[in-house]
């Protein structure tokens, strides 16, 4: 028998570093006019709307210093992890194991905005929330292990059950007479407090089995099967069976290769298997109502209910089938090693969020099983000891992988309701003018969808010729492509304009040892793929008194017709919702990069330096530099990672911190 318990408590003081529009330190710092002071003469924070009368339409933007000084967000997280297990040897070869575990977590969060936080709406506010999450797990397994001469057999059978519950409570107050009490006197607010509470639970039941067969450490076979049931899915679709089989041939153990002084290991592998995905919020298969107070006009507010989500009665597991082959090889007694894998993954019944028509009256996106997807790729990893001398040793490793993702089906038209099953992924837009992530057959998940551009109208003559396609266009404006060739520029000309997925990703690691010194480094990167720079889009709009990026100064004028940027005039024609700089490929950029992730230099003390003590001193640098052509802060970010199927969005991303660590390690 055995048991373990781990108790942790952490306090986190967060800052709003990332967010759209004026909702983060990064965004407001980039948008704030550089000619304004931090504070006005009366001690309040300045913002763009306090610009001189020469900019009468200046947009009110929060002051970034207000985010630091007048905003607090503290979370206290307490977590208890505990487990208890017992093993019983029924026979010499048969063992029973029973384990139970609990994961108990409580998160309390206190958010407060003082009366100085927002000059446009100077009303202090507080939000307090609490989450209690409990996860209970029971695993029961029988394990049979027996050797018969050159044969080895392992058989495992098991049954597991897991239950997880989550309870959420929140209350918000507004309009406090003083900021002294912060978020700890919510009843003192002058505005009726908002109160919310939620409860959710789900359960998973699994039966599983596995058989491992080994003959003379040359021929290996593994067969598994498991039946999983999840309460997240609709009635009649909660259970699914997931089998797998894998085989390997260790060629290096064959008689014709034994004793080889060059080839020390050679192994071929092949396998096929299925796995299920149930990572989605609870109750997505059910039609839900939400509480919704309503004022009938007589001053009386009546609490009622309105539709929150439609039912999806056939919601079920997303199932991925994978076939893979691989080879492992080592030469010169493991001095050089290589591993290669090739795989084909086919996923059916994809779990994707779909926006419903606004006429439905339901704004919450629906999670549905839509179509099929295929991933084909390979992975290669190599490492070796390049130099092996008395006082000098150098090890070098390299890995590279490629994956091609393709949507192969989005269901039958009779199931979806139209002939074209392509759709835009449910997600917020940035400033109402960015492209969207798109799902369509024959393309990768989350490709960018919008208008194509073809430079600028460089002269009056070019603008005159473009009047039919873009009525009202002026010299210096962006030239958009009439994709369907009908002579009219409208939403029908939107098309796939980019792909967020890289051509391949790679990593490099090196370890150089010389006497008592050791130098280690790790670099990573990607080649290809695109990223949409939303902040560059927003911070290049020359209106409303906000700051703009410096490169925007190279805009079109009659004296600068070869400019990179269009004219600041953004009146008609209106393309994609925001003047002449609408939802297009103009702000798509190459996301290729090479980043020095970590470098560590260590000096190991000689054995007689500290007597019986051992130790070392080291200095480490993290994220020291990134080689990239991307104009933003981080080319591998995704500001919409919380949206299923959305990739490659830079939305006010906070820069990666460059860190230097100096430490001493002592061994007793």
């Amino acid at each position: 028998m055995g048991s373990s318990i781990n108790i942790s408590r952490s306090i986190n003081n967060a800052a709003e570093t990332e967010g759209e529009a004026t909702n983060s330190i990064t965004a407001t710092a980039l948008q704030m006019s550089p000619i304004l002071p931090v504070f006005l003469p009366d001690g309040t924070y300045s913002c763009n709307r306090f610009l001189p009368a020469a900019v009468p339409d200046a947009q009110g933007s929060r002051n970034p210093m207000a985010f630091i000084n007048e905003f607090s967000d503290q979370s206290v997280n307490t977590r208890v992890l505990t487990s208890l297990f017992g093993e019983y040897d029924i026979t010499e070869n048969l063992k029973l194991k029973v384990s139970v575990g609990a994961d108990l977590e409580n998160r309390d969060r206190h958010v407060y905005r003082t009366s100085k936080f927002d000059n446009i709406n100077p009303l202090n506010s507080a939000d307090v929330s609490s989450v209690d999450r409990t996860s209970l797990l029971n695993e029961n397994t029988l394990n049979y292990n027996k050797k018969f001469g050159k044969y080895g057999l392992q058989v495992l059978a098991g049954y597991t059950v897991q239950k997880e519950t989550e309870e959420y409570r929140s209350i918000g107050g507004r309009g406090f007479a003083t900021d002294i009490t912060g978020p700890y006197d919510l009843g003192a607010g002058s505005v009726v407090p908002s109160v919310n509470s939620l409860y959710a639970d789900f359960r998973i039941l699994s039966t599983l089995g596995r058989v491992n067969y080994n003959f003379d450490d040359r021929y290996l076979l593994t067969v598994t099967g498991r039946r999983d049931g999840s309460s997240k899915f609709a009635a009649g679709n909660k259970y699914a069976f997931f089998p797998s089989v894998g085989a390997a041939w260790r060629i290096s153990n064959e008689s014709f290769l034994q004793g080889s002084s060059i080839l020390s290991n050679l192994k071929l592998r092949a396998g096929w298997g299925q796995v299920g995905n149930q990572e989605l919020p609870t109750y997505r298969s059910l039609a839900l109502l939400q509480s919704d107070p309503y004022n009938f006009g007589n001053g009386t507010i009546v609490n009622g209910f309105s539709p929150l989500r439609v039912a999806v009665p056939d919601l079920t597991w997303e199932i991925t089938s994978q076939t893979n082959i691989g080879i492992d090889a080592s030469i010169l007694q493991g001095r050089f090693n290589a591993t290669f894998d090739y795989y084909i993954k086919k996923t059916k019944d994809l779990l994707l969020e779909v926006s419903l028509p606004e006429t439905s009256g339901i704004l919450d996106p629906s999670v549905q099983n839509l179509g099929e997807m295929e991933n084909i790729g390979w992975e290669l990893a190599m490492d070796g000891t390049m130099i092996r001398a008395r006082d000098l040793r150098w090890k070098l490793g390299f890995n590279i992988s490629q994956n091609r993702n393709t949507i192969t089906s989005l269901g039958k038209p009779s199931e979806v309701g139209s002939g074209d099953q392509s759709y835009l992924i449910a997600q917020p837009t940035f400033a109402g003018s960015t492209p969207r992530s798109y799902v369509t057959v024959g393309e990768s998940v989350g490709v960018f969808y919008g208008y194509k551009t073809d430079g600028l109208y460089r002269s009056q003559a070019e603008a005159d010729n473009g009047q039919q396609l873009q009525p009202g266009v002026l010299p210096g404006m962006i030239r958009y492509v009439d994709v369907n060739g009908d002579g009219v520029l409208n939403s029908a000309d939107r098309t796939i304009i980019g792909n967020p997925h890289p051509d391949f990703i790679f990593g490099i690691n090196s370890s150089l040892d010389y006497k008592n010194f050791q130098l280690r480094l790790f670099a990573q990167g990607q080649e290809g793929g695109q990223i949409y720079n939303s902040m560059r889009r927003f911070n290049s709009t020359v209106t409303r008194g906000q700051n703009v990026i410096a490169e925007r100064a190279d805009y079109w004028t009659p004296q600068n017709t070869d400019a990179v940027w269009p004219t600041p005039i953004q009146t008609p024609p209106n393309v994609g919702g925001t003047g002449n700089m609408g939802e297009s490929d103009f702000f798509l950029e190459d996301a290729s990069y090479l980043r020095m992730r970590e470098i560590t230099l260590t000096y190991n003390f000689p054995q007689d330096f500290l007597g019986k003590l051992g130790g070392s001193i080291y200095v480490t640098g993290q994220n020291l530099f990134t080689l990239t052509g991307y104009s933003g802060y981080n080319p591998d970010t995704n500001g919409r990672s919380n949206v299923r199927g959305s990739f490659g969005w830079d939305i006010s991303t906070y820069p990666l911190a460059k860190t230097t660590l100096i430490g001493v390690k002592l061994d007793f």
Side-chain angles (χ1 to χ4, degrees):
M1 298 184 64
S3 64
S4 67
I5 185 170
N6 182 285
I7 302 175
S8 64
R9 180 179 173 88
S10 62
I11 300 176
N12 180 41
N13 292 295
E16 294 289 339
T17 57
E18 298 184 5
E20 301 193 37
T22 60
N23 296 324
S24 72
I25 296 174
T26 308
T28 54
L30 294 173
Q31 297 163 20
M32 189 74 181
S33 173
I35 65 174
L36 288 174
V38 175
F39 298 100
L40 295 175
D42 62 359
T44 60
Y45 291 91
S46 65
C47 66
N48 288 346
R49 71 173 182 153
F50 296 125
L51 287 167
V55 191
D57 64 339
Q59 173 177 287
S61 175
R62 294 189 178 99
N63 191 304
M65 291 302 297
F67 272 97
I68 298 174
N69 299 329
E70 312 300 333
F71 176 86
S72 62
D73 182 357
Q74 185 181 84
S75 297
V76 179
N77 189 70
T78 303
R79 190 173 187 180
V80 178
L81 290 168
T82 182
S83 64
L84 175 67
F85 73 90
E87 292 182 347
Y88 177 68
D89 294 332
I90 301 174
T91 68
E92 180 182 356
N93 306 110
L94 183 63
K95 179 184 297 184
L96 170 67
K97 182 177 181 180
V98 178
S99 65
V100 293
D103 183 357
L104 312 176
E105 185 176 15
N106 170 263
R107 297 192 300 270
D108 289 324
R109 184 182 182 190
H110 294 75
V111 179
Y112 191 76
R113 303 168 186 85
T114 74
S115 56
K116 297 180 180 180
F117 176 69
D118 193 337
N119 279 328
I120 301 173
N121 183 23
L123 190 68
N124 48 12
S125 64
D127 296 283
V128 177
S129 61
S130 178
V131 179
D132 290 316
R133 186 182 64 86
T134 301
S135 179
L136 304 176
L137 175 64
N138 169 230
E139 296 179 326
N140 311 275
T141 58
L142 277 172
N143 197 332
Y144 178 79
N145 191 346
K146 178 72 173 178
K147 283 192 174 184
F148 308 89
K150 293 183 178 182
Y151 301 88
L153 181 66
Q154 289 182 332
V155 180
L156 180 141
Y159 174 80
T160 69
V161 57
Q162 181 180 5
K163 178 183 179 181
E164 184 169 312
T165 62
E166 185 170 287
E167 186 174 358
Y168 171 81
R169 302 163 296 275
S170 70
I171 183 170
R174 306 287 184 272
F176 302 98
T178 177
D179 292 319
I180 295 176
T181 56
Y184 301 104
D185 190 9
L186 297 179
S190 61
V191 180
V192 177
S194 59
V195 180
N196 294 284
S197 61
L198 296 171
Y199 176 84
D201 72 76
F202 74 90
R203 305 176 187 187
I204 303 175
L205 297 176
S206 302
T207 55
L208 53 95
R210 183 182 69 228
V211 177
N212 291 329
Y213 174 78
N214 181 346
F215 175 69
D216 200 24
D217 201 25
R218 288 184 291 162
Y219 309 109
L220 310 171
L221 178 67
T222 300
V223 179
T224 65
R226 60 182 301 146
R227 184 173 184 264
D228 294 326
S230 173
S231 63
K232 293 183 178 181
F233 298 116
N237 293 309
K238 297 183 183 296
Y239 286 89
F241 179 70
F242 306 107
S244 69
V245 60
W249 177 25
R250 197 182 300 276
I251 306 174
S252 54
N253 282 357
E254 295 290 351
S255 58
F256 56 84
L257 282 179
Q258 287 184 350
S260 173
S261 60
I262 298 178
L263 188 63
S264 51
N265 179 52
L266 182 61
K267 182 180 179 181
L268 291 178
R269 297 174 281 103
W272 174 90
Q274 289 185 331
V275 295
N277 176 26
Q278 55 106 39
E279 294 302 319
L280 73 163
T282 55
Y283 310 133
R284 288 289 174 159
S285 66
L286 305 176
L288 298 182
L289 300 177
Q290 62 180 345
S291 58
D292 199 349
Y294 188 79
N295 190 338
F296 283 93
N298 58 3
T300 302
I301 297 178
V302 178
N303 288 322
F305 292 90
S306 62
L308 172 65
R309 189 179 303 134
V310 297
V312 186
D314 56 352
L315 189 66
T316 188
W317 289 85
E318 176 183 293
I319 299 177
T320 298
S321 303
Q322 176 170 329
T323 302
N324 67 278
I325 58 174
I327 184 171
D328 303 325
S330 299
I331 62 175
L332 301 178
Q333 302 301 314
R335 181 172 179 177
F336 298 98
N337 308 281
T339 297
F340 178 80
D341 284 277
Y342 176 83
Y343 61 86
I344 300 176
K345 296 169 61 176
K346 295 184 178 181
T347 304
K348 65 178 182 178
D349 296 326
L350 290 168
L351 293 170
L352 293 175
E353 291 184 338
V354 181
S355 295
L356 299 177
E358 294 183 0
T359 53
S360 68
I362 298 176
L363 300 180
D364 204 45
S366 172
V367 175
Q368 302 178 21
N369 294 108
L370 284 178
E372 301 176 358
M373 177 177 66
E374 182 178 72
N375 285 276
I376 300 177
W378 54 266
E379 301 174 356
L380 173 65
M382 304 177 67
D383 67 79
T385 303
M386 314 304 293
I387 299 176
R388 188 166 59 186
R390 178 180 177 181
D391 294 326
L392 179 64
R393 175 168 295 200
W394 178 33
K395 295 181 179 180
L396 181 65
F398 175 76
N399 64 81
I400 184 172
S401 63
Q402 181 185 77
N403 182 75
R404 291 290 178 265
N405 169 271
T406 307
I407 295 291
T408 55
S409 171
L410 283 176
K412 299 178 181 179
S414 59
E415 297 173 348
V416 181
S418 66
D420 182 11
Q421 298 91 54
S422 305
Y423 70 95
L424 299 173
I425 291 175
Q427 62 184 0
T429 57
F430 183 82
S433 59
T434 60
R436 301 295 295 274
S437 295
Y438 192 55
V439 173
T440 189
V441 174
E443 298 289 342
S444 299
V445 173
V447 291
F448 296 108
Y449 183 79
Y451 292 94
K452 284 189 174 182
T453 61
D454 185 22
L456 308 179
Y457 289 98
R458 300 288 178 182
S459 65
Q460 184 64 57
E462 290 185 10
D464 292 341
N465 292 333
Q467 292 299 319
Q468 181 177 354
L469 184 64
Q470 295 176 237
V473 71
L474 300 175
M477 286 187 171
I478 295 176
R479 186 200 306 268
Y480 290 91
V481 177
D482 180 15
V483 173
N484 60 9
D486 63 356
V488 178
L489 186 66
N490 53 30
S491 60
D493 292 302
R494 292 183 299 172
T495 186
I496 296 170
I497 57 176
N499 191 328
H501 304 289
D503 296 330
F504 57 85
I505 59 176
F506 59 89
I508 304 170
N509 61 82
S510 173
S511 177
L512 180 65
D513 295 80
Y514 177 70
K515 294 186 176 180
N516 288 22
F517 290 92
Q518 183 180 67
L519 178 65
R520 292 185 177 180
L521 65 85
F522 171 63
Q524 67 172 121
Q526 73 175 46
E527 175 63 30
Q530 291 173 295
I531 185 170
Y532 190 87
N533 194 338
S534 290
M535 283 308 302
R536 189 167 182 252
R537 156 74 185 90
F538 196 74
N539 291 318
S540 61
T541 304
V542 191
T543 57
R544 299 168 295 185
Q546 72 178 33
N547 191 22
V548 296
I549 52 180
E551 61 183 284
R552 189 65 169 92
D554 183 22
Y555 61 85
W556 185 95
T557 66
Q559 296 76 35
N560 187 26
T561 57
D562 294 329
V564 174
W565 288 86
T567 173
I569 300 175
Q570 294 301 312
T571 50
N574 190 9
V575 178
T578 306
N580 185 243
M581 294 173 63
E583 49 184 89
S584 72
D585 58 6
F586 192 83
F587 295 98
L588 278 179
E589 301 185 42
D590 183 10
S592 302
Y593 73 93
L594 171 64
R595 175 175 296 131
M596 183 55 66
R597 195 69 179 183
E598 184 173 303
I599 299 179
T600 299
L601 177 62
T602 302
Y603 176 75
N604 297 300
F605 298 131
Q607 293 183 354
D608 57 351
F609 180 73
L610 297 174
K612 295 183 178 181
L613 299 179
S616 61
I617 184 172
Y618 63 90
V619 57
T620 297
Q622 298 174 344
N623 302 318
L624 295 183
F625 63 84
T626 300
L627 303 178
T628 181
Y630 179 56
S631 63
Y633 295 136
N634 187 2
D636 65 345
T637 188
N638 182 23
R640 289 177 177 159
S641 58
N642 62 322
V643 179
R644 190 183 300 270
S646 183
F647 308 94
W649 294 90
D650 187 351
I651 302 174
S652 183
T653 299
Y654 195 75
L656 284 176
K658 295 181 180 180
T659 305
T660 301
L661 303 173
I662 299 177
V664 176
K665 178 183 177 183
L666 296 178
D667 300 324
F668 295 92

